[in-house]
């Protein structure tokens, strides 16, 4: 039997209790919509993803999520939205996860534990959390009819996992339920509850949205981000052109052609830093068309890059750069170059290495210099 997984994400609600002017799934959380979060978190386990969008928002959802996601029009209730999505599930999928867009931060790891349990033979698996409040049943006049034993209660979350055949059968019922497991229970099938997670919380009110926002920020704090950058310049035909490399001046060496001082090491580091912070690249930040940066030194570009990286909320953990070329000989001045680059970056750790390329390529033929750099950034706690 195949063990592929289809993911259904009901997102067809309007989010009345949240009170935004747009459907709840399109509300922003930490720079992305709720539906984008939900899709991103479940995509790693999914062979197929079907999203039920509110009527009229199908194209918006498709644009946002891309062509690999199947978008259908949601129904009047969550149950109807799931039923419509079920019709699109491919038969190659052995299992189906149903996951509310209203729980955007539920982790991939939770989805994987649900699937592990299905693969081990369970037919229906749902995440549940212990409840903090004592729960009582009341009658129409608000008199308590029963006090439930708290230790035996679970607040259930999504994603909920089922074998495809079971879920399809369960949904032949006309009942309207708040979760899919309810329909499965009604058929007398065992539903297994596994440990849920705080972050799979449901966003219903503005207060919930603020709580989720805090969770996203906590995730971003101390996050590591790696970036890579390269640069290359040809040695100049002009014998008077001076060489700047690794933030230092090299006397008696012919320099390279290029916009600015042509310091390939500094430029590669700038690109690595900008990439790590998702800030674009040298060209998009300090384009040749901007007179402000014409003739800018490598050190100036590094300092300006550092300012931008910091403004985006990052600190530099370390930078490594490798210079590729036949000349100049880096070894004797390696420490000097590291120090200069580090100073330009506010004292960050910068290591400099160098290599030749065995006579191969433009660097091996002595026609120019190149450099490759990596940078590791840490998200500064806010
Ligand atoms: N849902 C759906 N189709 C509906 C109603 C709800 O697909 N007709 C989805 C919602 O988009 C949500 C999930 O079911 O992802 C759980 O519903 P809920 O949290 O109640 O969301 P809304 O119905 O949008 O919110 P409200 O009840 O406050 O209007
Ligand atoms: Mg609702």
């Amino acid at each position: 039997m195949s063990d592929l997984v289809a993911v259904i994400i009901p997102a067809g609600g309007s989010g009345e209790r949240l009170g935004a002017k747009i459907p709840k799934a399109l509300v922003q959380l930490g720079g992305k919509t709720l539906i984008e979060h939900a899709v991103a978190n479940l995509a790693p386990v999914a062979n197929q993803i079907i999203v039920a969008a509110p009527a009229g928002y199908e194209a918006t959802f498709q644009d946002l999520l891309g062509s690999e996601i199947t978008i259908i029009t949601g129904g009047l209730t969550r149950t109807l939205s799931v039923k419509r999505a079920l019709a699109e599930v491919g038969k190659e999928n052995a299992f189906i996860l149903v996951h509310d867009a209203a729980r955007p931060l539920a982790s991939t790891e939770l989805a994987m534990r649900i699937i592990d349990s299905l693969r081990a033979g369970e037919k229906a698996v749902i995440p549940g959390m212990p409840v903090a409040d004592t729960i009582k049943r009341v009658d129409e006049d608000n008199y308590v009819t029963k006090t439930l034993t708290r230790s035996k209660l679970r607040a259930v979350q999504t994603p909920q996992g089922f074998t495809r055949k079971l879920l399809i059968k369960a949904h032949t019922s006309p009942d309207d339920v708040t979760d899919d497991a309810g329909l499965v229970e009604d058929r007398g099938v065992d539903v297994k509850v596994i440990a849920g997670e705080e972050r799979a919380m449901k966003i219903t009110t503005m207060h919930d949205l603020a709580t989720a926002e805090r969770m996203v920020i906590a995730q971003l704090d101390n996050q590591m981000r790696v970036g890579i950058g390269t640069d290359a310049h040809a040695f100049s035909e002009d014998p008077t052109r001076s060489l700047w490399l690794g933030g230092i001046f090299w006397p008696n060496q012919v320099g390279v052609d290029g916009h600015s001082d042509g310091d390939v090491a500094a430029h590669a580091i700038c690109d690595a830093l900008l990439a790590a912070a998702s800030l674009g690249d040298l060209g998009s930040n300090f384009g040749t068309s901007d007179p402000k940066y014409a003739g800018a030194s490598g050190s100036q570009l590094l300092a300006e890059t550092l300012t931008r990286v910091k403004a985006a909320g990052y600190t530099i953990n370390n930078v490594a750069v490798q210079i590729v070329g036949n000349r100049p000989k880096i070894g004797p001045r390696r420490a000097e170059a590291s120090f200069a680059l580090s100073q330009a970056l506010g004292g960050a750790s910068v290591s400099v290495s160098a290599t030749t390329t065995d006579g191969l390529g433009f660097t091996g033929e002595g026609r120019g210099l190149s450099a490759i750099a990596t940078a590791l950034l840490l998200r500064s706690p806010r």
Side-chain angles (χ1 to χ4, degrees):
M1 189 178 84
S2 101
D3 57 2
L4 296 177
V5 177
V7 170
I8 290 177
I9 305 183
S14 59
E16 213 166 297
R17 288 168 291 175
L18 190 63
K21 290 195 177 67
I22 48 173
K24 182 158 74 179
L26 294 178
V27 166
Q28 293 278 331
L29 169 65
K32 275 197 294 195
T33 59
L34 302 194
I35 186 63
E36 285 173 281
H37 279 286
V39 167
N41 285 331
L42 289 231
V45 303
N47 170 56
Q48 183 189 14
I49 300 180
I50 303 152
V51 174
Y57 287 89
E58 298 85 347
T60 308
F61 273 56
Q62 195 81 70
D63 285 350
L64 207 53
L65 302 175
S67 58
E68 284 181 24
I69 309 290
T70 304
I71 308 289
I72 58 140
T73 307
L76 281 180
T77 63
R78 182 188 182 282
T79 308
L80 289 173
S81 291
V82 173
K83 278 195 205 320
R84 288 190 179 179
L86 270 178
E88 301 293 323
V89 170
K91 289 199 167 49
E92 71 280 13
N93 300 294
F95 307 118
I96 300 176
L97 296 191
V98 185
H99 180 50
D100 288 341
R103 298 182 189 273
L105 301 182
S107 69
T108 310
E109 191 263 343
L110 175 60
M112 283 162 72
R113 284 193 287 114
I114 299 279
I115 294 165
D116 284 347
S117 206
L118 291 168
R119 286 181 179 152
E122 297 290 347
K123 289 191 152 47
V125 186
I126 65 177
M129 298 287 274
V131 294
D133 295 325
T134 294
I135 304 215
K136 294 180 191 281
R137 198 194 305 263
V138 293
D139 64 17
E140 301 82 61
D141 302 317
N142 266 336
Y143 287 104
V144 173
T145 56
K146 195 169 168 65
T147 298
L148 301 163
T149 310
R150 192 175 63 190
S151 62
K152 292 199 167 178
L153 295 174
R154 296 292 177 271
V156 309
Q157 305 175 320
T158 70
Q160 301 193 342
F162 310 91
T163 63
R164 179 174 51 85
K165 287 179 183 154
L166 173 61
L167 188 61
I168 287 171
K169 239 185 258 160
H171 265 278
T172 57
S173 154
D175 296 350
D176 188 31
V177 285
T178 52
D179 77 339
D180 303 274
L183 293 175
V184 169
E185 290 150 36
D186 291 346
R187 300 184 69 88
V189 177
D190 286 341
V191 175
K192 174 80 173 178
V193 179
I194 66 164
E197 55 181 23
E198 204 84 52
R199 54 181 285 188
M201 62 166 289
K202 185 165 167 211
I203 296 178
T204 305
T205 61
M206 282 309 274
H207 179 262
D208 299 332
L209 188 63
T211 304
E213 195 83 46
R214 280 195 297 278
M215 284 185 186
V216 172
I217 287 168
Q219 279 170 36
L220 289 175
D221 285 353
N222 303 316
Q223 195 188 38
M224 289 183 284
R225 306 264 318 185
V226 70
I228 187 168
T230 65
D231 191 33
H233 282 291
F235 282 123
S236 180
E237 312 250 288
D238 173 3
T240 67
R241 173 99 174 154
S242 45
L243 179 68
W244 284 86
L245 181 63
I248 56 177
F249 175 63
W250 298 76
N252 308 317
Q253 291 274 348
V254 176
V256 297
D257 287 325
H259 173 62
S260 76
D261 67 356
D263 184 337
V264 290
H267 296 175
I269 293 171
C270 289
D271 263 343
L273 289 166
L274 294 169
S278 297
L279 289 175
D281 53 29
L282 265 181
S284 66
N285 280 270
F286 313 113
T288 38
S289 55
D290 191 339
K292 192 170 153 208
Y293 301 108
S297 71
S299 299
Q300 282 170 324
L301 289 178
L302 285 168
E304 181 59 31
T305 299
L306 175 66
T307 303
R308 294 183 188 205
V309 162
K310 274 189 180 162
Y314 296 98
T315 54
I316 300 175
N317 184 77
N318 74 300
V319 164
V321 63
Q322 185 179 44
I323 296 164
V324 187
N326 295 349
R327 71 169 177 90
K329 251 195 157 6
I330 303 297
R333 299 189 69 193
R334 182 205 311 277
E336 225 183 305
S338 291
F339 182 74
L341 294 169
S342 165
Q343 287 302 297
L345 291 174
S349 159
V350 179
S351 62
V352 175
S353 59
T355 187
T356 55
T357 51
D358 209 14
L360 298 171
F362 76 92
T363 49
E365 290 160 9
R367 293 195 283 125
L369 286 170
S370 72
I372 180 163
T374 54
L376 186 67
L377 300 182
L378 299 178
R379 178 99 200 172
S380 339
R382 280 167 293 174

